Amino acid sequence: MTRNAMMLASIAGLALSAPAAAQDAGPPAATPVVKTEAGSVQGLKQGGIDAFLGVRYAAPPLGDLRFQPPEKPEAWEGIADATGYGAPCMQLYSASGPNESEMTRRIQAIFPTSTEAKMDNEDCLFLNVWAPAAGHGKKRPVMVWFHGGGYAYGSGNWPAYNGRNLAEKGDVVVVTVNHRLNAFGYLNLAEKFGEDFAASGNVGNLDLVRSLEWVRDNIAGFGGDPDNVTIMGESGGGSKVSHLMAMPAADGLFDKAVIQSGPGVFSGKPAEAADYAAKILDAAGVETLEDLRYVRSDEIVEAVRKATPAGSAMGRGPQFGPIADGTIIPRDPFLPAAPELARDIPVLIGYNKDEMTLFVAAQPWFGRLTEGTLTAMTGAMGEQAVAAVAAYRKRYPDYSPTHLAAIAMGTRFARGTYLLADQQAKTASAPVYVYRLTWETPIGGGMLRTPHTLDIPLMFDNAKESAALVGTGEDAQTMADMMSDAWIAFAKTGTPSSALLPEWKAYTPSARNVMELNVEPQLVDDPEKDIRELPSEL
């Protein structure tokens, strides 16, 4: 492919991934050239916003750097291309059920998990920047997004995360990040290969730290303020934010934290992670350091699948994620208390009313449960599930047995959110703000209600571009206006606010103020007290 052909392909790919507003003014113009510590970069404008995509923030984690902490990228000459996304990490995505419905395919357009598995790569340490006017010397708040997908799959490239609209609306700089995932970022090799691999179980999170160091050192050139950085994430991304709050290496690299549907209260345990790693190495036929260096990445992914019991994707087996190794992550982030490092960090945290519908809607039983099968199912799940169904039945008498089962399965999101909020509020000098998204998406006849990920296109102000998930009605844009306003205000001031919201008071253990986000939002007191106080089965 010629250089001109490659450029045309990059432009075509950018148009497919950009918000609609960015496609209305004809072919995109080039951004200013911005100098970074490693070299200059240039991207393309998206509807007047400067977009720098696929910027390398660390050296390729290959060869001697495989399973090692990230290092700064080598300097380059000339102007590096920043017109197209960098590769996502090797993906370990497993669908939770049949993946053939039209609605699923539409949602895949904004969360392209299957597509990214076709282009993943170990060389994945890239980030993306959207800036209203890069290189103009203005200091704008910086909003850094860490993607979901647990610690197994995903990237900062997903169209739902496109930062163009948020950057324009808020006059902020938006950054999204790719990092090492699954075995490439969280394989604890210390027991097998010794001190040289002491960090291997946490290098994925050290990548996040490296990205924040890059922001500190380079974001001013893009018009961002390195002294006003908010980190944000949903699902696994929320857990990543939670852990960064407890990591000494991240201390001082951010000022505010947003945790969406992913409270990271505790970490993995080194011994369990080492045992899982041993099974994976055995499945991959890796015995020596030479084997470890040269085993192909696809063979590692296949070994993970062989070594992982069925059902682990739903939390019933070994999981990849950061481990409390006593050094990189000194202890569980929010147990027995919130981290001292985060006492001056304002926190915005929350969850969606019906988180689990997104995961179980493809299951054969969804939409078919009777009262009898609901009783049998929840009985098998344990006393907590039975109590949760009883509580939700009183709160939502119109819910079908299917939706009662789904909402009861998602109590860990609510309970984890309140636990983290309580722990942080007990000791922090900075405020904690809690939300609960209750607005229901109309797609699929309303079958998903308020599912996992629904918050993302709303706070990114990408409702129009994410109609596959939020629908096309006016209410979706109302919600996007409201939530993006609040998130931008939080990034700027440490207090979420919007003219579309009542006054948002801080959450404390004695005044559990929660903003219920709906077309008619309201601040309520401890709205799921009965769920929060259920006996723990964690």
Tab-separated table of all heavy atoms in Angstrom, residues 117-177:
chain	number	residue	atom	x	y	z
A	117	ALA	N	-10.899	-8.070	18.369
A	117	ALA	CA	-10.182	-9.339	18.452
A	117	ALA	C	-9.504	-9.687	17.130
A	117	ALA	O	-8.619	-10.544	17.083
A	117	ALA	CB	-11.128	-10.451	18.873
A	118	LYS	N	-9.905	-9.015	16.043
A	118	LYS	CA	-9.300	-9.274	14.737
A	118	LYS	C	-8.042	-8.447	14.506
A	118	LYS	O	-7.312	-8.685	13.537
A	118	LYS	CB	-10.311	-8.946	13.629
A	118	LYS	CG	-11.624	-9.716	13.708
A	118	LYS	CD	-12.610	-9.195	12.666
A	118	LYS	CE	-13.973	-9.854	12.811
A	118	LYS	NZ	-14.957	-9.300	11.863
A	119	MET	N	-7.796	-7.452	15.382
A	119	MET	CA	-6.673	-6.542	15.129
A	119	MET	C	-5.831	-6.304	16.376
A	119	MET	O	-5.044	-5.379	16.438
A	119	MET	CB	-7.206	-5.207	14.601
A	119	MET	CG	-8.166	-4.506	15.555
A	119	MET	SD	-8.949	-3.020	14.838
A	119	MET	CE	-10.049	-3.755	13.631
A	120	ASP	N	-6.000	-7.142	17.402
A	120	ASP	CA	-5.286	-6.919	18.650
A	120	ASP	C	-3.799	-7.241	18.507
A	120	ASP	O	-3.369	-7.912	17.576
A	120	ASP	CB	-5.927	-7.712	19.793
A	120	ASP	CG	-6.103	-9.190	19.473
A	120	ASP	OD1	-5.486	-9.675	18.495
A	120	ASP	OD2	-6.844	-9.875	20.181
A	121	ASN	N	-3.021	-6.739	19.470
A	121	ASN	CA	-1.572	-6.856	19.358
A	121	ASN	C	-0.945	-6.633	20.725
A	121	ASN	O	-1.469	-5.866	21.524
A	121	ASN	CB	-1.058	-5.799	18.372
A	121	ASN	CG	0.334	-6.107	17.849
A	121	ASN	OD1	1.301	-6.107	18.603
A	121	ASN	ND2	0.434	-6.368	16.554
A	122	GLU	N	0.185	-7.285	20.979
A	122	GLU	CA	0.911	-7.005	22.211
A	122	GLU	C	1.458	-5.579	22.237
A	122	GLU	O	1.584	-4.973	23.305
A	122	GLU	CB	2.079	-7.982	22.383
A	122	GLU	CG	1.714	-9.293	23.026
A	122	GLU	CD	2.957	-10.058	23.428
A	122	GLU	OE1	3.525	-9.748	24.504
A	122	GLU	OE2	3.358	-10.955	22.664
A	123	ASP	N	1.774	-5.040	21.085
A	123	ASP	CA	2.274	-3.668	20.985
A	123	ASP	C	1.060	-2.737	21.029
A	123	ASP	O	0.498	-2.363	19.996
A	123	ASP	CB	3.050	-3.488	19.682
A	123	ASP	CG	3.669	-2.109	19.548
A	123	ASP	OD1	3.623	-1.329	20.519
A	123	ASP	OD2	4.192	-1.804	18.454
A	124	CYS	N	0.646	-2.364	22.245
A	124	CYS	CA	-0.667	-1.735	22.425
A	124	CYS	C	-0.650	-0.490	23.303
A	124	CYS	O	-1.719	0.010	23.668
A	124	CYS	CB	-1.634	-2.752	23.034
A	124	CYS	SG	-1.121	-3.331	24.676
A	125	LEU	N	0.525	0.018	23.647
A	125	LEU	CA	0.579	1.108	24.623
A	125	LEU	C	0.438	2.456	23.918
A	125	LEU	O	1.399	3.207	23.716
A	125	LEU	CB	1.859	1.015	25.445
A	125	LEU	CG	2.008	-0.321	26.208
A	125	LEU	CD1	3.241	-0.291	27.100
A	125	LEU	CD2	0.760	-0.645	27.022
A	126	PHE	N	-0.813	2.745	23.554
A	126	PHE	CA	-1.163	3.967	22.838
A	126	PHE	C	-2.278	4.693	23.579
A	126	PHE	O	-3.058	4.086	24.314
A	126	PHE	CB	-1.645	3.641	21.420
A	126	PHE	CG	-0.648	2.900	20.582
A	126	PHE	CD1	-0.699	1.512	20.473
A	126	PHE	CD2	0.344	3.580	19.888
A	126	PHE	CE1	0.219	0.820	19.693
A	126	PHE	CE2	1.266	2.889	19.114
A	126	PHE	CZ	1.202	1.509	19.011
A	127	LEU	N	-2.376	5.993	23.353
A	127	LEU	CA	-3.494	6.758	23.880
A	127	LEU	C	-4.003	7.712	22.809
A	127	LEU	O	-3.369	7.928	21.762
A	127	LEU	CB	-3.097	7.503	25.163
A	127	LEU	CG	-1.872	8.411	25.194
A	127	LEU	CD1	-2.101	9.734	24.448
A	127	LEU	CD2	-1.451	8.705	26.616
A	128	ASN	N	-5.179	8.276	23.064
A	128	ASN	CA	-5.844	9.186	22.142
A	128	ASN	C	-6.159	10.487	22.872
A	128	ASN	O	-6.511	10.463	24.055
A	128	ASN	CB	-7.145	8.562	21.624
A	128	ASN	CG	-6.953	7.147	21.126
A	128	ASN	OD1	-6.137	6.908	20.239
A	128	ASN	ND2	-7.680	6.195	21.704
A	129	VAL	N	-6.028	11.603	22.169
A	129	VAL	CA	-6.259	12.913	22.764
A	129	VAL	C	-7.218	13.706	21.890
A	129	VAL	O	-7.026	13.792	20.668
A	129	VAL	CB	-4.944	13.708	22.912
A	129	VAL	CG1	-5.209	15.072	23.556
A	129	VAL	CG2	-3.915	12.927	23.716
A	130	TRP	N	-8.241	14.289	22.519
A	130	TRP	CA	-9.125	15.233	21.844
A	130	TRP	C	-8.975	16.583	22.544
A	130	TRP	O	-9.154	16.669	23.775
A	130	TRP	CB	-10.581	14.777	21.910
A	130	TRP	CG	-10.896	13.612	21.023
A	130	TRP	CD1	-11.362	13.645	19.749
A	130	TRP	CD2	-10.778	12.212	21.360
A	130	TRP	NE1	-11.532	12.362	19.260
A	130	TRP	CE2	-11.177	11.464	20.233
A	130	TRP	CE3	-10.359	11.525	22.508
A	130	TRP	CZ2	-11.194	10.077	20.219
A	130	TRP	CZ3	-10.364	10.138	22.500
A	130	TRP	CH2	-10.783	9.423	21.363
A	131	ALA	N	-8.654	17.629	21.785
A	131	ALA	CA	-8.392	18.939	22.369
A	131	ALA	C	-9.099	20.020	21.556
A	131	ALA	O	-9.056	19.996	20.319
A	131	ALA	CB	-6.892	19.215	22.406
A	132	PRO	N	-9.740	20.979	22.222
A	132	PRO	CA	-10.432	22.035	21.475
A	132	PRO	C	-9.515	22.856	20.579
A	132	PRO	O	-9.901	23.259	19.488
A	132	PRO	CB	-11.053	22.896	22.578
A	132	PRO	CG	-11.236	21.959	23.725
A	132	PRO	CD	-10.037	21.048	23.661
A	133	ALA	N	-8.301	23.131	21.014
A	133	ALA	CA	-7.363	23.915	20.201
A	133	ALA	C	-5.961	23.626	20.710
A	133	ALA	O	-5.419	24.359	21.530
A	133	ALA	CB	-7.675	25.404	20.271
A	134	ALA	N	-5.388	22.555	20.221
A	134	ALA	CA	-4.077	22.133	20.720
A	134	ALA	C	-3.014	23.167	20.379
A	134	ALA	O	-3.058	23.825	19.331
A	134	ALA	CB	-3.705	20.782	20.118
A	135	GLY	N	-2.054	23.319	21.290
A	135	GLY	CA	-0.919	24.170	21.016
A	135	GLY	C	-1.171	25.652	21.168
A	135	GLY	O	-0.347	26.471	20.757
A	136	HIS	N	-2.301	26.032	21.780
A	136	HIS	CA	-2.620	27.448	21.911
A	136	HIS	C	-2.304	27.989	23.300
A	136	HIS	O	-2.672	29.121	23.618
A	136	HIS	CB	-4.099	27.696	21.570
A	136	HIS	CG	-4.366	27.649	20.093
A	136	HIS	ND1	-4.675	28.766	19.350
A	136	HIS	CD2	-4.331	26.616	19.208
A	136	HIS	CE1	-4.847	28.421	18.071
A	136	HIS	NE2	-4.650	27.126	17.968
A	137	GLY	N	-1.700	27.186	24.140
A	137	GLY	CA	-1.226	27.678	25.422
A	137	GLY	C	-2.264	27.786	26.515
A	137	GLY	O	-1.944	28.191	27.634
A	138	LYS	N	-3.507	27.405	26.246
A	138	LYS	CA	-4.536	27.472	27.280
A	138	LYS	C	-4.463	26.232	28.162
A	138	LYS	O	-4.146	25.143	27.688
A	138	LYS	CB	-5.919	27.580	26.637
A	138	LYS	CG	-7.043	27.823	27.634
A	138	LYS	CD	-8.365	28.099	26.922
A	138	LYS	CE	-9.475	28.344	27.933
A	138	LYS	NZ	-10.778	28.608	27.276
A	139	LYS	N	-4.751	26.397	29.442
A	139	LYS	CA	-4.734	25.270	30.375
A	139	LYS	C	-6.171	24.815	30.644
A	139	LYS	O	-6.876	25.415	31.449
A	139	LYS	CB	-4.038	25.664	31.677
A	139	LYS	CG	-2.535	25.808	31.549
A	139	LYS	CD	-1.895	25.979	32.912
A	139	LYS	CE	-0.383	25.970	32.827
A	139	LYS	NZ	0.243	26.079	34.165
A	140	ARG	N	-6.549	23.732	29.979
A	140	ARG	CA	-7.900	23.197	30.141
A	140	ARG	C	-7.873	21.989	31.079
A	140	ARG	O	-6.896	21.245	31.114
A	140	ARG	CB	-8.465	22.774	28.793
A	140	ARG	CG	-8.602	23.904	27.782
A	140	ARG	CD	-9.088	23.386	26.438
A	140	ARG	NE	-9.346	24.472	25.526
A	140	ARG	CZ	-8.428	25.048	24.759
A	140	ARG	NH1	-7.179	24.594	24.787
A	140	ARG	NH2	-8.750	26.036	23.964
A	141	PRO	N	-8.969	21.749	31.799
A	141	PRO	CA	-9.063	20.517	32.584
A	141	PRO	C	-8.866	19.295	31.696
A	141	PRO	O	-9.268	19.297	30.523
A	141	PRO	CB	-10.476	20.574	33.166
A	141	PRO	CG	-10.849	22.018	33.137
A	141	PRO	CD	-10.173	22.594	31.932
A	142	VAL	N	-8.254	18.271	32.251
A	142	VAL	CA	-7.971	17.045	31.509
A	142	VAL	C	-8.820	15.914	32.086
A	142	VAL	O	-8.835	15.704	33.306
A	142	VAL	CB	-6.474	16.684	31.592
A	142	VAL	CG1	-6.181	15.425	30.765
A	142	VAL	CG2	-5.615	17.854	31.119
A	143	MET	N	-9.525	15.194	31.213
A	143	MET	CA	-10.370	14.070	31.617
A	143	MET	C	-9.807	12.804	30.971
A	143	MET	O	-9.866	12.641	29.751
A	143	MET	CB	-11.827	14.312	31.206
A	143	MET	CG	-12.394	15.613	31.772
A	143	MET	SD	-14.085	16.009	31.207
A	143	MET	CE	-15.060	14.832	32.174
A	144	VAL	N	-9.222	11.932	31.792
A	144	VAL	CA	-8.557	10.723	31.304
A	144	VAL	C	-9.467	9.521	31.551
A	144	VAL	O	-9.888	9.275	32.688
A	144	VAL	CB	-7.207	10.509	32.008
A	144	VAL	CG1	-6.528	9.242	31.481
A	144	VAL	CG2	-6.298	11.718	31.811
A	145	TRP	N	-9.753	8.762	30.494
A	145	TRP	CA	-10.690	7.646	30.554
A	145	TRP	C	-9.957	6.308	30.455
A	145	TRP	O	-9.167	6.080	29.535
A	145	TRP	CB	-11.697	7.749	29.406
A	145	TRP	CG	-12.693	6.633	29.364
A	145	TRP	CD1	-12.646	5.523	28.578
A	145	TRP	CD2	-13.885	6.510	30.144
A	145	TRP	NE1	-13.735	4.720	28.812
A	145	TRP	CE2	-14.510	5.305	29.769
A	145	TRP	CE3	-14.477	7.300	31.127
A	145	TRP	CZ2	-15.710	4.871	30.341
A	145	TRP	CZ3	-15.668	6.873	31.695
A	145	TRP	CH2	-16.264	5.675	31.304
A	146	PHE	N	-10.256	5.417	31.411
A	146	PHE	CA	-9.740	4.045	31.375
A	146	PHE	C	-10.898	3.107	31.044
A	146	PHE	O	-11.923	3.097	31.735
A	146	PHE	CB	-9.091	3.694	32.712
A	146	PHE	CG	-7.920	4.571	33.045
A	146	PHE	CD1	-7.870	5.294	34.222
A	146	PHE	CD2	-6.861	4.692	32.156
A	146	PHE	CE1	-6.797	6.117	34.516
A	146	PHE	CE2	-5.775	5.520	32.439
A	146	PHE	CZ	-5.747	6.228	33.620
A	147	HIS	N	-10.717	2.309	30.017
A	147	HIS	CA	-11.822	1.554	29.421
A	147	HIS	C	-12.306	0.400	30.282
A	147	HIS	O	-11.621	-0.074	31.192
A	147	HIS	CB	-11.421	1.042	28.036
A	147	HIS	CG	-10.330	0.006	28.054
A	147	HIS	ND1	-10.560	-1.306	28.392
A	147	HIS	CD2	-9.009	0.079	27.755
A	147	HIS	CE1	-9.441	-1.995	28.298
A	147	HIS	NE2	-8.470	-1.176	27.922
A	148	GLY	N	-13.500	-0.068	29.943
A	148	GLY	CA	-14.076	-1.240	30.585
A	148	GLY	C	-13.669	-2.522	29.879
A	148	GLY	O	-12.767	-2.561	29.054
A	149	GLY	N	-14.380	-3.592	30.213
A	149	GLY	CA	-14.010	-4.907	29.701
A	149	GLY	C	-13.287	-5.730	30.749
A	149	GLY	O	-12.538	-6.649	30.430
A	150	GLY	N	-13.533	-5.357	32.027
A	150	GLY	CA	-12.794	-5.994	33.097
A	150	GLY	C	-11.308	-5.725	32.905
A	150	GLY	O	-10.893	-4.634	32.510
A	151	TYR	N	-10.514	-6.721	33.154
A	151	TYR	CA	-9.083	-6.662	32.863
A	151	TYR	C	-8.762	-7.651	31.741
A	151	TYR	O	-7.620	-8.057	31.581
A	151	TYR	CB	-8.273	-6.997	34.113
A	151	TYR	CG	-8.424	-5.961	35.207
A	151	TYR	CD1	-9.443	-6.053	36.145
A	151	TYR	CD2	-7.552	-4.884	35.295
A	151	TYR	CE1	-9.597	-5.096	37.139
A	151	TYR	CE2	-7.688	-3.925	36.282
A	151	TYR	CZ	-8.708	-4.042	37.203
A	151	TYR	OH	-8.858	-3.082	38.190
A	152	ALA	N	-9.795	-7.988	30.964
A	152	ALA	CA	-9.662	-9.045	29.968
A	152	ALA	C	-9.677	-8.530	28.534
A	152	ALA	O	-8.977	-9.067	27.675
A	152	ALA	CB	-10.773	-10.081	30.144
A	153	TYR	N	-10.481	-7.512	28.243
A	153	TYR	CA	-10.607	-7.039	26.860
A	153	TYR	C	-11.005	-5.566	26.873
A	153	TYR	O	-11.183	-4.947	27.917
A	153	TYR	CB	-11.647	-7.871	26.096
A	153	TYR	CG	-13.055	-7.775	26.638
A	153	TYR	CD1	-13.942	-6.815	26.154
A	153	TYR	CD2	-13.505	-8.625	27.639
A	153	TYR	CE1	-15.234	-6.710	26.660
A	153	TYR	CE2	-14.790	-8.540	28.138
A	153	TYR	CZ	-15.645	-7.577	27.639
A	153	TYR	OH	-16.914	-7.474	28.143
A	154	GLY	N	-11.158	-4.994	25.682
A	154	GLY	CA	-11.533	-3.599	25.539
A	154	GLY	C	-10.362	-2.726	25.149
A	154	GLY	O	-9.204	-3.151	25.106
A	155	SER	N	-10.666	-1.466	24.824
A	155	SER	CA	-9.629	-0.491	24.494
A	155	SER	C	-10.206	0.908	24.611
A	155	SER	O	-11.423	1.095	24.698
A	155	SER	CB	-9.088	-0.716	23.072
A	155	SER	OG	-9.934	-0.111	22.109
A	156	GLY	N	-9.339	1.891	24.576
A	156	GLY	CA	-9.774	3.281	24.575
A	156	GLY	C	-10.233	3.755	23.224
A	156	GLY	O	-10.556	4.941	23.059
A	157	ASN	N	-10.284	2.856	22.253
A	157	ASN	CA	-10.655	3.212	20.880
A	157	ASN	C	-12.149	3.089	20.601
A	157	ASN	O	-12.590	3.468	19.516
A	157	ASN	CB	-9.920	2.306	19.885
A	157	ASN	CG	-8.424	2.304	20.062
A	157	ASN	OD1	-7.858	3.187	20.687
A	157	ASN	ND2	-7.761	1.286	19.513
A	158	TRP	N	-12.915	2.532	21.519
A	158	TRP	CA	-14.317	2.261	21.230
A	158	TRP	C	-15.069	3.536	20.877
A	158	TRP	O	-14.883	4.579	21.532
A	158	TRP	CB	-14.982	1.576	22.421
A	158	TRP	CG	-14.550	0.159	22.637
A	158	TRP	CD1	-13.688	-0.572	21.879
A	158	TRP	CD2	-14.965	-0.709	23.697
A	158	TRP	NE1	-13.536	-1.837	22.384
A	158	TRP	CE2	-14.313	-1.944	23.507
A	158	TRP	CE3	-15.818	-0.558	24.794
A	158	TRP	CZ2	-14.488	-3.031	24.361
A	158	TRP	CZ3	-16.002	-1.637	25.645
A	158	TRP	CH2	-15.352	-2.859	25.426
A	159	PRO	N	-15.909	3.506	19.841
A	159	PRO	CA	-16.652	4.705	19.442
A	159	PRO	C	-17.469	5.342	20.559
A	159	PRO	O	-17.628	6.565	20.577
A	159	PRO	CB	-17.561	4.178	18.318
A	159	PRO	CG	-16.770	3.064	17.714
A	159	PRO	CD	-16.087	2.397	18.878
A	160	ALA	N	-17.968	4.549	21.502
A	160	ALA	CA	-18.723	5.134	22.617
A	160	ALA	C	-17.850	6.052	23.458
A	160	ALA	O	-18.363	6.932	24.157
A	160	ALA	CB	-19.314	4.033	23.499
A	161	TYR	N	-16.521	5.853	23.401
A	161	TYR	CA	-15.587	6.660	24.185
A	161	TYR	C	-15.030	7.849	23.404
A	161	TYR	O	-14.138	8.547	23.892
A	161	TYR	CB	-14.379	5.820	24.621
A	161	TYR	CG	-14.648	4.564	25.399
A	161	TYR	CD1	-13.720	3.517	25.386
A	161	TYR	CD2	-15.796	4.402	26.172
A	161	TYR	CE1	-13.923	2.353	26.111
A	161	TYR	CE2	-16.011	3.244	26.896
A	161	TYR	CZ	-15.070	2.218	26.854
A	161	TYR	OH	-15.277	1.067	27.582
A	162	ASN	N	-15.499	8.079	22.188
A	162	ASN	CA	-14.948	9.167	21.400
A	162	ASN	C	-15.104	10.478	22.169
A	162	ASN	O	-16.203	10.859	22.577
A	162	ASN	CB	-15.659	9.256	20.051
A	162	ASN	CG	-15.007	10.255	19.124
A	162	ASN	OD1	-15.043	11.453	19.356
A	162	ASN	ND2	-14.402	9.754	18.058
A	163	GLY	N	-13.992	11.180	22.382
A	163	GLY	CA	-13.998	12.351	23.256
A	163	GLY	C	-14.290	13.662	22.587
A	163	GLY	O	-14.262	14.711	23.236
A	164	ARG	N	-14.634	13.639	21.309
A	164	ARG	CA	-14.823	14.884	20.563
A	164	ARG	C	-15.929	15.769	21.151
A	164	ARG	O	-15.733	16.961	21.395
A	164	ARG	CB	-15.127	14.541	19.104
A	164	ARG	CG	-15.219	15.758	18.213
A	164	ARG	CD	-16.646	15.976	17.719
A	164	ARG	NE	-16.725	17.319	17.167
A	164	ARG	CZ	-17.649	18.192	17.494
A	164	ARG	NH1	-18.583	17.891	18.371
A	164	ARG	NH2	-17.655	19.395	16.964
A	165	ASN	N	-17.107	15.187	21.379
A	165	ASN	CA	-18.235	15.993	21.869
A	165	ASN	C	-17.977	16.540	23.270
A	165	ASN	O	-18.307	17.689	23.572
A	165	ASN	CB	-19.512	15.164	21.861
A	165	ASN	CG	-19.991	14.845	20.459
A	165	ASN	OD1	-19.526	15.435	19.486
A	165	ASN	ND2	-20.916	13.909	20.346
A	166	LEU	N	-17.398	15.718	24.135
A	166	LEU	CA	-17.118	16.139	25.502
A	166	LEU	C	-16.090	17.272	25.517
A	166	LEU	O	-16.224	18.246	26.269
A	166	LEU	CB	-16.615	14.949	26.316
A	166	LEU	CG	-16.647	15.065	27.843
A	166	LEU	CD1	-18.068	15.220	28.354
A	166	LEU	CD2	-15.999	13.840	28.479
A	167	ALA	N	-15.066	17.144	24.658
A	167	ALA	CA	-14.041	18.180	24.586
A	167	ALA	C	-14.634	19.507	24.133
A	167	ALA	O	-14.317	20.564	24.694
A	167	ALA	CB	-12.924	17.744	23.638
A	168	GLU	N	-15.502	19.455	23.132
A	168	GLU	CA	-16.103	20.690	22.621
A	168	GLU	C	-17.062	21.306	23.636
A	168	GLU	O	-17.004	22.509	23.916
A	168	GLU	CB	-16.849	20.426	21.320
A	168	GLU	CG	-17.496	21.679	20.748
A	168	GLU	CD	-18.293	21.401	19.492
A	168	GLU	OE1	-19.233	20.569	19.550
A	168	GLU	OE2	-17.999	22.023	18.455
A	169	LYS	N	-17.929	20.487	24.183
A	169	LYS	CA	-18.925	21.015	25.107
A	169	LYS	C	-18.285	21.618	26.352
A	169	LYS	O	-18.687	22.696	26.815
A	169	LYS	CB	-19.896	19.906	25.522
A	169	LYS	CG	-20.933	20.366	26.531
A	169	LYS	CD	-21.935	19.285	26.861
A	169	LYS	CE	-22.962	19.810	27.851
A	169	LYS	NZ	-24.026	18.814	28.122
A	170	GLY	N	-17.311	20.944	26.920
A	170	GLY	CA	-16.750	21.364	28.193
A	170	GLY	C	-15.514	22.218	28.095
A	170	GLY	O	-15.029	22.701	29.118
A	171	ASP	N	-14.995	22.432	26.868
A	171	ASP	CA	-13.704	23.097	26.705
A	171	ASP	C	-12.668	22.401	27.583
A	171	ASP	O	-11.968	23.009	28.386
A	171	ASP	CB	-13.797	24.583	27.059
A	171	ASP	CG	-12.577	25.363	26.566
A	171	ASP	OD1	-12.009	24.985	25.535
A	171	ASP	OD2	-12.180	26.338	27.256
A	172	VAL	N	-12.593	21.081	27.420
A	172	VAL	CA	-11.680	20.234	28.176
A	172	VAL	C	-10.861	19.397	27.203
A	172	VAL	O	-11.205	19.272	26.022
A	172	VAL	CB	-12.438	19.299	29.147
A	172	VAL	CG1	-13.205	20.097	30.183
A	172	VAL	CG2	-13.403	18.371	28.383
A	173	VAL	N	-9.783	18.813	27.695
A	173	VAL	CA	-8.987	17.863	26.923
A	173	VAL	C	-9.346	16.464	27.398
A	173	VAL	O	-9.333	16.183	28.605
A	173	VAL	CB	-7.480	18.126	27.100
A	173	VAL	CG1	-6.659	17.053	26.389
A	173	VAL	CG2	-7.121	19.508	26.560
A	174	VAL	N	-9.685	15.582	26.465
A	174	VAL	CA	-10.093	14.212	26.780
A	174	VAL	C	-9.016	13.243	26.297
A	174	VAL	O	-8.533	13.359	25.163
A	174	VAL	CB	-11.450	13.869	26.126
A	174	VAL	CG1	-11.843	12.420	26.438
A	174	VAL	CG2	-12.531	14.835	26.605
A	175	VAL	N	-8.664	12.297	27.149
A	175	VAL	CA	-7.644	11.284	26.828
A	175	VAL	C	-8.237	9.907	27.089
A	175	VAL	O	-8.851	9.686	28.137
A	175	VAL	CB	-6.378	11.468	27.692
A	175	VAL	CG1	-5.337	10.390	27.371
A	175	VAL	CG2	-5.788	12.864	27.503
A	176	THR	N	-8.084	8.980	26.145
A	176	THR	CA	-8.452	7.580	26.388
A	176	THR	C	-7.209	6.718	26.181
A	176	THR	O	-6.329	7.052	25.378
A	176	THR	CB	-9.589	7.105	25.467
A	176	THR	OG1	-9.149	7.067	24.101
A	176	THR	CG2	-10.805	8.027	25.580
A	177	VAL	N	-7.148	5.589	26.884
A	177	VAL	CA	-5.891	4.846	27.017
A	177	VAL	C	-6.077	3.366	26.694
A	177	VAL	O	-7.045	2.745	27.134
A	177	VAL	CB	-5.350	4.996	28.462
A	177	VAL	CG1	-4.058	4.202	28.646
A	177	VAL	CG2	-5.137	6.471	28.818
